[in-house]
Amino acid sequence: MEFENLKIGMKESISKTITETDIILYSGISLDCNPIHLNKTYAETSRFKKRIAHGMLTAGLISAILGTRLPGEGTIYLEQTLKFKQPVYLGDTITAVCEIIDIIEEQRKIILSTICTNQDGKVILTGEAKVMK
């Protein structure tokens, strides 16, 4: 989408079910091999009682929206705040939503609210992104 066509209030979403493969691949790519993500026995002794997905794996869905849907191709990610509210478990379906909340025309920058929820509507993470187009 062209910068000139962006408007406050525009939003896009993407959904993904988190799988075993996602967690294994993300561990390899990120080098985050925390046993809370990979080891069932270890995770059962944690506060969560089962394995959880990497927080940044979930946050990556926001990046997918920004780079492919809103504002779309050519977007440069500048900043992101994240507040993790709930864990994501294997099999959870996460929906990320990005909504334009401000446009700084002279700098070609866009501010978006970012939120991820699970299949039960529970908020998983919230934040705000700043991008340039």
Side-chain angles (χ1 to χ4, degrees), residues 14 63-73:
I14 194 169
S63 181
I65 293 171
L66 299 176
T68 65
R69 297 185 182 190
L70 183 70
E73 293 180 4

Side-chain angles (χ1 to χ4, degrees), residues 75-116:
T75 296
I76 306 299
Y77 216 152
L78 299 172
E79 297 177 21
Q80 177 75 55
T81 60
L82 296 170
K83 293 180 184 173
F84 295 95
K85 306 284 191 174
Q86 299 283 329
V88 172
Y89 300 103
L90 279 79
D92 281 356
T93 299
I94 304 303
T95 300
V97 178
C98 295
E99 179 177 355
I100 297 175
I101 58 173
D102 196 11
I103 299 173
I104 307 165
E105 291 187 31
E106 59 277 1
Q107 297 176 356
R108 296 184 62 87
K109 293 182 180 173
I110 303 112
I111 312 296
L112 303 99
S113 68
T114 58
I115 186 168
C116 292

Side-chain angles (χ1 to χ4, degrees), residues 11-42:
K11 67 169 71 170
E12 282 287 343
S13 66
I14 194 169
S15 296
K16 176 168 182 33
T17 300
I18 304 302
T19 67
E20 173 80 14
T21 301
D22 296 325
I23 291 173
I24 298 300
L25 290 174
Y26 191 83
S27 291
I29 291 166
S30 67
L31 303 179
D32 180 352
C33 296
N34 183 334
I36 194 72
H37 307 304
L38 302 171
N39 184 306
K40 179 182 180 215
T41 303
Y42 177 89

